Amino acid sequence: MVVERARGESQSVSGSLQSLCWGSSAFGGIVSSYFSGSLVESYGVRFVFGVTALLPLITSAVAVLVNEQRVVRPMPGSGQKENTILVNLGFLQTSKQNMIQLWSAIKQPNVFLPTLFIFLWQATPHSDSAMFYFTTNKLGFTPEFLGRVKLVTSIASLLGVGLYNGFLKTVPLRKIFLVTTVFGTGLGMTQVLLVTGFNRQLGISDEWFAIGDSLILTVLAQASFMPVLVLAARLCPEGMEATLFATLMSISNGGSVLGGLMGAGLTQVFGITRDSFDNLSTLIILCNLSSLLPLPLLGLLPKDSPDNVGNKDDPDIDIEMKSN
């Protein structure tokens, strides 16, 4: 639905729409994050799973309010059996055409090359799993405290969306990816301070350092991921918005999964287990440095100015679109 509304608009307008959606998601995360840890401690995991399984039903209720126009295709013939056969043939034929159209859209250079960059950008290894075991088994962080950290990260996500919407949505994509990746690599190294305990020598407790670290890294991560969503939305041709956007997001998630697998492999290579963290600092440094590897491929992204795809003759159209 967002892709349909963003078609033909500038990066600024498309960024505003994505910011609205992801800002709403972050606000919902703020509401629920703190209670996740406290409810687990008070009522157990089964109760929390039951509640979170029921809450999505609210989405089903809201979906009734979506106004859509049904597309009715007249089927020739008079018999019900004949109509059923034609409907089945129509569905198969339409599915085949959609697959052909999807492949035709993806193989175009202006879609395939940015998609390849997004995949490689997400496919760098990360040490999230090892850090989770370190914070729970070594530092002894409780579920309630992890819930508070999740609350902070949800607030940080909202701040990251606001940062992008307020300052970055008119910046060229290449510059956003370059700056956020370089800064993210540098700030990601701060986890080494937590692993080595140097933060305690600075008079900062593990809990406060973890909260501050999560806040800063999440703001930057959300601000750097927003251009991916905007780029994916702008790449989708008319008539294939849902299919192509879902495909692009699946490719992006596939890259993230690959990065997790490589991170797990490096964790095993360095001999890091749930009780042994001697080489965790080396793993963190290596994973952060690897995030710089896709930067030479920034040329795969569109080079044009963000607002060149909008209306050059009447800039007031963008303002009107934002108001709508």
Side-chain angles (χ1 to χ4, degrees):
M1 293 166 64
V2 175
V3 172
E4 289 180 349
R5 293 180 180 271
R7 184 190 300 114
E9 302 297 337
S10 66
Q11 179 178 314
S12 176
V13 175
S14 181
S16 297
L17 294 171
Q18 290 285 3
S19 297
L20 175 63
C21 292
W22 286 83
S24 302
S25 176
F27 181 76
I30 294 173
V31 175
S32 64
S33 293
Y34 178 78
F35 296 101
S36 60
S38 58
L39 288 176
V40 168
E41 288 194 340
S42 301
Y43 298 98
V45 176
R46 182 175 298 179
F47 174 82
V48 175
F49 279 163
V51 172
T52 53
L54 292 175
L55 286 177
L57 292 176
I58 301 176
T59 307
S60 302
V62 176
V64 180
L65 304 177
V66 177
N67 185 21
E68 290 184 301
Q69 295 182 351
R70 182 183 298 272
V71 179
V72 180
R73 297 179 180 177
M75 303 299 296
S78 56
Q80 182 177 359
K81 182 176 180 181
E82 180 182 358
N83 285 338
T84 303
I85 296 175
L86 290 173
V87 168
N88 292 333
L89 291 177
F91 171 77
L92 295 176
Q93 186 66 22
T94 302
S95 301
K96 181 180 178 181
Q97 292 177 354
N98 288 340
M99 293 299 297
I100 296 175
Q101 188 178 3
L102 175 63
W103 172 244
S104 300
I106 293 179
K107 70 179 182 180
Q108 294 178 9
N110 61 333
V111 176
F112 176 76
L113 295 180
T115 303
L116 177 62
F117 176 83
I118 292 175
F119 175 82
L120 296 176
W121 185 67
Q122 293 278 49
T124 55
H126 51 77
S127 56
D128 294 346
S129 299
M131 279 300 300
F132 174 78
Y133 282 114
F134 176 79
T135 55
T136 54
N137 294 357
K138 184 72 173 181
L139 300 182
F141 289 174
T142 62
E144 182 179 4
F145 177 76
L146 293 177
R148 294 178 183 177
V149 174
K150 181 63 177 176
L151 173 64
V152 171
T153 57
S154 297
I155 297 174
S157 295
L158 188 59
L159 294 176
V161 172
L163 174 65
Y164 174 81
N165 191 56
F167 303 100
L168 300 178
K169 65 183 179 182
T170 59
V171 179
L173 292 173
R174 294 183 182 183
K175 184 178 294 185
I176 294 178
F177 279 110
L178 175 62
V179 173
T180 56
T181 301
V182 172
F183 273 91
T185 300
L187 293 174
M189 297 294 185
T190 57
Q191 292 182 328
V192 176
L193 302 180
L194 183 64
V195 173
T196 58
F198 187 74
N199 59 291
R200 292 190 293 271
Q201 299 180 19
L202 299 176
I204 306 175
S205 66
D206 293 335
E207 289 78 8
W208 280 108
F209 189 88
I211 290 176
D213 192 56
S214 299
L215 176 66
I216 297 174
L217 291 178
T218 304
V219 169
L220 190 63
Q222 186 65 53
S224 63
F225 187 64
M226 291 299 298
V228 176
L229 301 169
V230 175
L231 177 61
R234 295 174 65 204
L235 291 176
C236 298
E238 184 176 0
M240 294 203 63
E241 297 88 355
T243 304
L244 185 55
F245 186 77
T247 301
L248 295 178
M249 288 297 96
S250 298
I251 294 173
S252 175
N253 293 337
S256 181
V257 171
L258 179 60
L261 292 175
M262 289 191 293
L266 290 175
T267 301
Q268 185 174 6
V269 169
F270 285 112
I272 300 172
T273 64
R274 64 178 60 189
D275 300 316
S276 177
F277 305 99
D278 295 335
N279 297 321
L280 182 56
S281 297
T282 305
L283 176 66
I284 293 173
I285 294 174
L286 181 61
C287 290
N288 279 280
L289 291 178
S290 68
S291 63
L292 299 174
L293 294 177
L295 291 184
L297 302 177
L298 282 173
L300 300 178
L301 296 176
K303 187 179 181 181
D304 58 339
S305 178
D307 289 331
N308 283 348
V309 296
N311 194 309
K312 300 178 182 178
D313 300 327
D314 190 2
D316 293 335
I317 292 181
D318 283 351
I319 301 177
E320 181 182 357
M321 179 64 183
K322 292 179 187 177
S323 302
N324 292 337

